[in-house]
Amino acid sequence: MAKTSAHQKNKSYSNAVYATPVSEHPSLDEVYEVTPFSEAFWTYLNYVILNIFGWFRDLLRNARIENRKGSAENNPPGFVPLYQSYESFYTRNVYQRIADCFNRPIGSVPGATLDLLERVTDDYNWSFRFTGGKVKTINLASYNYLGFANNSGPIAENVINSIKTSGLTAASTTQEFGTLTQHRKLESLLAEYLGTEDAIAFGMGFATNALNIPTLVGKKNDSFQSLAINKTKLLYLKGCLILSDELNHASLVLGARLSGAVIKVYKHNDMNHLERLLRESIISGQPRTHRMWKKILIIVEGVYSMEGSLCKLPELIELKKKYRAYLYLDEAHSIGAMGLRGRGVVDYWKCDVNDVDILMGTFTKSFAAAGGYIAGKKDLIDHIRVTSHSAAYATSMSPPVVEQIVSVLNLLLDNDEEHEGRQRINQLAWNARYFRQRLTKMGFIVYGHPHSPVVPALLYSPSKIAAFNREMLKRGVAVVTVGFPATPLVLGRVRFCLSASHTKEMLDEVLKHAEEVGDLLNMRKSKLNPKRPFHETES
């Protein structure tokens, strides 16, 4: 009964949140508090001490005074090293000290709770052995935004039944014998859900970006030159420019580099810097020749998972129209998780889907499956079908994975407020808002947008990164902590991932433990939000 009443409260909250466009709401600005001087000082000092001891221990290892526990690279004459010297040094002397906080194997589905396999080390994290036990935890570490990562229930039954009729794999590529009726059904439903003319699905989210951006911009390829040149204008063309947000995911960065296009990076979510680059690029043209660019592609993410921030989509659309550029939107962390109907940041900002040229997303998070997609105009999708390396060389999506996505899409396409799809979307919105507000009121330095399902809280020091992770695990909470080189040196953080499957009681328990550990590690340093009691009426 308590769960039902809590849900009703959550649902009414979600409707209130989305009643007013966020851009018009003065309290919904993203906040990035400046690093306190004391934290920056101790973090730098921490790294200096780690480096000094690391160099000293390397001297001892080279002199055979200390045993080398890990593997060492011995290059034959004439061969270059596989790794840069500092990368190996950092792994040996910094990362290895806190390696127990990462790569933890799990022994259950990644739902609201999960079982971590217990492991211990006898050689200071150089190796681990399993004890055979499991640790039950509340899971705030998985991208299970809508809570569909289950092994029981109607969707799981649909997936099991699909194996009986379609098997486990298509055993061929999309362009050969790997396209099944289920794949066409998935792409049709996806286009309907997103409101686009067509869509194409791929078996791997990372490869969706890495292998398809080169089909949109880059160097001229004569074998594809005759493909609907006037129709799509999206061919291999020499003289293309990519403008990329500095915090874009590695898959976007790799795809841009593989394309061979000229790449310029603009400051994160800085529309003034982006416009300045657009203007200067158009005025100066291509390097050396100064000819006009054949195509300019702006690449952004919907939700930036490390910052918890949202792209400024209305302003991006305005700029791309003003300068006649194309817009590539990666909705990996926003599809299903943002917007009144869960249709990503396009839905959240109430923009016209036709104003975004290329919509990309993944099925690995809100859909609890695998793979990715690109959606847009039919001419664009037809072009990708015949030019994408992913369609030509990668095995097409597994039938049970397709069934998982189709089952979730059917729920999300149902617009009835009382039905499961909309309830999960509303629950996630309430959970994200409630958790972030509580954490902020406790005095943690929290980054990002108020409605982001990813909530980063700053830890700074590498010692605190490890300590917070270990202390939360002792209290039965699984979290992800991140530090250098995944973040800047002084911006190590814990990243809480909210899910529709979390109950208010679970979140309150996590917040209680976070408050305890925050005091233990002296983390509650916010000057914008000093520690004070939180009242539920504020949510």
Side-chain angles (χ1 to χ4, degrees):
M1 188 68 185
K3 185 176 180 181
T4 305
S5 60
H7 169 72
Q8 293 298 329
K9 182 177 180 180
N10 295 356
K11 188 176 74 170
S12 63
Y13 165 77
S14 297
N15 293 337
V17 167
Y18 292 102
T20 306
V22 176
S23 56
E24 298 173 12
H25 203 300
S27 65
L28 297 183
D29 295 331
E30 295 183 5
V31 178
Y32 299 97
E33 192 170 340
V34 177
T35 304
F37 175 79
S38 60
E39 290 298 321
F41 173 80
W42 288 114
T43 300
Y44 282 122
L45 184 61
N46 215 319
Y47 277 108
V48 167
I49 293 171
L50 284 169
N51 275 270
I52 291 172
F53 275 88
W55 286 319
F56 178 68
R57 294 187 70 178
D58 272 358
L59 284 173
L60 296 179
R61 290 169 189 144
N62 292 334
R64 310 248 174 129
I65 298 171
E66 179 182 334
N67 292 330
R68 189 186 296 273
K69 296 183 178 69
S71 59
E73 183 183 353
N74 296 314
N75 290 347
F79 285 82
V80 296
L82 286 174
Y83 306 104
Q84 294 181 11
S85 58
Y86 189 75
E87 287 180 355
S88 301
F89 172 87
Y90 184 86
T91 302
R92 284 193 307 273
N93 299 294
V94 181
Y95 172 81
Q96 209 65 46
R97 292 171 177 266
I98 58 175
D100 59 298
C101 299
F102 309 105
N103 304 315
R104 287 199 177 113
I106 66 173
S108 67
V109 294
T113 62
L114 61 76
D115 295 335
L116 287 175
L117 299 182
E118 193 175 59
R119 58 180 183 171
V120 294
T121 178
D122 301 316
D123 52 9
Y124 304 99
N125 293 340
W126 288 102
S127 64
F128 295 92
R129 59 180 174 83
F130 293 110
T131 65
K134 291 183 179 180
V135 181
K136 188 85 170 176
T137 63
I138 299 175
N139 178 19
L140 272 86
S142 301
Y143 299 133
N144 182 28
Y145 294 135
L146 292 179
F148 286 115
N150 301 315
N151 56 4
S152 60
I155 292 180
E157 290 173 9
N158 291 345
V159 172
I160 293 169
N161 291 333
S162 74
I163 297 173
K164 297 175 182 176
T165 57
S166 304
L168 291 170
T169 178
S172 185
T173 68
T174 300
Q175 290 185 1
E176 293 175 325
F177 295 98
T179 300
L180 310 177
T181 54
Q182 292 97 317
H183 293 113
R184 290 299 190 205
K185 180 180 179 182
L186 164 61
E187 292 170 352
S188 175
L189 280 174
L190 189 60
E192 180 186 351
Y193 179 62
L194 297 171
T196 59
E197 290 182 7
D198 203 357
I200 181 171
F202 302 94
M204 181 182 178
F206 190 99
T208 303
N209 280 329
L211 298 182
N212 287 302
I213 291 176
T215 70
L216 306 175
V217 291
K219 296 179 179 177
K220 186 175 179 180
N221 186 321
D222 293 333
S223 62
F224 298 125
Q225 189 176 2
S226 61
L227 272 170
I229 293 178
N230 296 323
K231 213 171 182 185
T232 66
K233 298 182 182 178
L234 287 166
L235 299 177
Y236 291 92
L237 291 171
K238 190 175 182 180
C240 294
L241 171 67
I242 289 175
L243 295 173
S244 177
D245 189 292
E246 66 177 342
L247 296 184
N248 276 345
H249 189 262
S251 60
L252 294 169
V253 174
L254 179 59
R257 290 176 177 173
L258 290 174
S259 73
V262 175
I263 303 169
K264 294 185 179 180
V265 178
Y266 67 92
K267 295 175 184 176
H268 176 54
N269 262 351
D270 189 335
M271 296 299 102
N272 292 328
H273 189 211
L274 173 59
E275 183 169 18
R276 188 160 65 250
L277 284 179
L278 277 166
R279 190 186 300 115
E280 291 171 356
S281 299
I282 291 171
I283 292 171
S284 60
Q286 298 179 38
R288 295 190 299 275
T289 64
H290 301 293
R291 293 177 180 173
M292 66 181 292
W293 295 100
K294 300 291 185 183
K295 192 188 310 167
I296 298 176
L297 182 67
I298 303 169
I299 300 181
V300 297
E301 293 186 50
V303 171
Y304 290 83
S305 63
M306 201 64 75
E307 306 295 318
S309 61
L310 271 63
C311 71
K312 299 176 180 177
L313 190 59
E315 296 175 50
L316 285 163
I317 290 173
E318 184 181 342
L319 284 177
K320 80 107 182 177
K321 286 181 177 179
K322 182 178 179 180
Y323 294 97
R324 295 190 173 185
Y326 293 95
L327 181 59
Y328 186 109
L329 175 61
D330 180 338
E331 296 236 58
H333 288 271
S334 51
I335 190 65
M338 297 298 302
L340 182 62
R341 297 167 296 173
R343 298 180 187 185
V345 291
V346 178
D347 183 17
Y348 182 83
W349 291 111
K350 296 178 172 55
C351 295
D352 185 349
V353 69
N354 295 310
D355 287 333
V356 180
D357 301 286
I358 305 105
L359 281 165
M360 177 271 173
T362 63
F363 302 118
T364 54
K365 297 161 181 80
S366 293
F367 295 88
Y373 67 84
I374 290 180
K377 299 292 184 185
K378 189 175 189 307
D379 292 337
L380 164 72
I381 304 305
D382 287 343
H383 167 74
I384 292 174
R385 285 189 199 282
V386 295
T387 59
S388 171
H389 286 86
S390 188
Y393 297 108
T395 302
S396 60
M397 296 180 72
S398 172
V401 173
V402 173
E403 184 58 41
Q404 168 78 17
I405 302 165
V406 167
S407 298
V408 172
L409 276 172
N410 283 327
L411 289 177
L412 298 182
L413 279 164
D414 188 344
N415 288 323
D416 193 318
E417 283 285 340
E418 299 300 322
H419 289 180
E420 184 180 353
R422 185 62 70 84
Q423 287 181 355
R424 286 177 182 261
I425 293 167
N426 291 343
Q427 183 73 50
L428 175 62
W430 191 90
N431 285 354
R433 178 77 169 176
Y434 175 74
F435 189 86
R436 181 181 289 270
Q437 281 194 350
R438 285 285 308 272
L439 207 61
T440 301
K441 295 295 189 295
M442 287 178 185
F444 287 89
I445 297 178
V446 181
Y447 272 10
H449 193 279
H451 293 157
S452 167
V454 182
V455 183
L458 275 291
L459 299 172
Y460 302 112
S461 170
S463 57
K464 289 185 180 181
I465 291 171
F468 189 87
N469 193 303
R470 292 164 180 161
E471 290 297 326
M472 291 297 281
L473 184 59
K474 286 179 186 176
R475 291 162 173 79
V477 181
V479 296
V480 172
T481 49
V482 191
F484 178 81
T487 68
L489 204 65
V490 295
L491 294 180
R493 65 199 65 178
V494 55
R495 191 173 59 170
F496 298 101
C497 298
L498 279 304
S499 170
S501 60
H502 291 134
T503 64
K504 181 178 178 296
E505 291 74 21
M506 287 179 180
L507 297 181
D508 286 338
E509 185 175 348
V510 172
L511 288 162
K512 180 187 75 172
H513 295 318
E515 188 174 19
E516 292 173 6
V517 178
D519 286 335
L520 182 67
L521 302 179
N522 195 23
M523 283 173 50
R524 297 161 70 187
K525 293 273 191 174
S526 176
K527 296 190 178 161
L528 299 178
N529 303 286
K531 293 178 275 188
R532 65 184 180 85
F534 179 85
H535 301 287
E536 283 201 30
T537 53
E538 297 180 67
S539 66

